[in-house]
Amino acid sequence: MTKRVLALFDVDGTLTVPRKRADETMKTFMRDLRSKVTVGIVGGSDLVKISEQLGEGSEREFEYLFAENGLVAFKGGELLAKQSLKTHLGEEKLKKFINFVLRYVADLEIPIKRGTFIEFRSGMLNVSPIGRNCSQEERDEFERFDKEAGVRAKFVETLRKEFADYGLTYSVGGQISFDVFPQGWDKTYCLRFVENDFDEIHFFGDKTYKGGNDHEIFESPKTIGHTVTSPEDTRKQVTEHILNKL
């Protein structure tokens, strides 16, 4: 009996260079892969940003597309489920948290600041110390600066202490930001939609280290986790771990 295999992929750093579009080599590779196994996408970004990178109508192109860690879930182009951070936390707690974040950013000494420091998504908040309106060059510069200064790590540690009773998880992803969501709403959230339908679930992601936004699903006993370093490495590992074993 043929194994039912699901290949799940992170987006940034896995299928694409961070915040860039998937190139034609990757698009061709993924089309070929979809003819052999079931393929799903699980990203921390919202559907708009994922579609910018993977192509318009991505929720219809892939059998599964999980935006915001699966808090907005699609199967075959149809919406499966949608979770609400606003409903879960309540307006007062949400407002208190956002006010604190904005004050922290205002007092933060970093080389540059732009705009959109908090992005409100359906199931999470995305917090960016530099602001999401920065250019790609400024993104790259901040990423290098952050590796030395630990701006995001210190920000997260402060929020953990200040809002210890909120039951929140903080997950660093991409180059300039981190996600905030209720405990259990990490990327393992998406597994509830697929765990009973497959014999093997492979996950490929680049931020699988503790604190990275791929860590929980990478470590989950429900998946076979693979750490990748680039889109090229993703193709290599998929070939090795899936295609060569079919």
Side-chain angles (χ1 to χ4, degrees), residues 145-213:
F145 175 79
D146 192 39
K147 283 178 181 176
E148 296 293 326
V151 175
R152 288 183 289 177
K154 291 172 186 173
F155 201 160
V156 163
E157 191 54 38
T158 299
L159 291 172
R160 279 201 180 104
K161 292 175 182 175
E162 186 70 22
F163 297 96
D165 60 334
Y166 272 35
L168 296 171
T169 295
Y170 304 86
S171 184
V172 176
Q175 296 177 286
I176 61 168
S177 64
F178 58 89
D179 294 327
V180 184
F181 45 83
Q183 289 170 5
W185 289 20
D186 52 66
K187 285 186 178 179
T188 59
Y189 191 93
C190 78
L191 297 177
R192 66 189 62 199
F193 302 109
V194 296
E195 60 186 315
N196 297 321
D197 297 328
F198 296 93
D199 302 308
E200 284 184 5
I201 300 176
H202 291 259
F203 172 75
F204 298 85
D206 66 317
K207 289 184 170 56
T208 58
Y209 51 82
K210 190 171 177 61
N213 65 353

Side-chain angles (χ1 to χ4, degrees), residues 70-140:
L71 302 173
V72 181
F74 293 88
K75 179 180 180 181
E78 298 295 323
L79 184 66
L80 274 178
K82 187 174 182 179
Q83 190 56 271
S84 168
L85 176 65
K86 182 174 68 175
T87 301
H88 180 86
L89 272 186
E91 203 63 63
E92 282 306 308
K93 282 187 174 181
L94 192 56
K95 184 169 68 175
K96 183 180 178 183
F97 184 90
I98 289 172
N99 285 345
F100 185 93
V101 167
L102 291 173
R103 283 193 295 268
Y104 187 98
V105 169
D107 293 334
L108 198 56
E109 288 298 329
I110 57 176
I112 61 171
K113 293 179 186 176
R114 294 299 178 250
T116 312
F117 301 103
I118 301 177
E119 187 172 84
F120 187 88
R121 299 175 181 170
S122 177
M124 66 175 69
L125 295 174
N126 179 265
V127 178
S128 175
I130 184 178
R132 297 194 63 88
N133 292 352
C134 59
S135 68
Q136 186 60 52
E137 183 181 359
E138 289 164 343
R139 280 174 170 268
D140 296 340

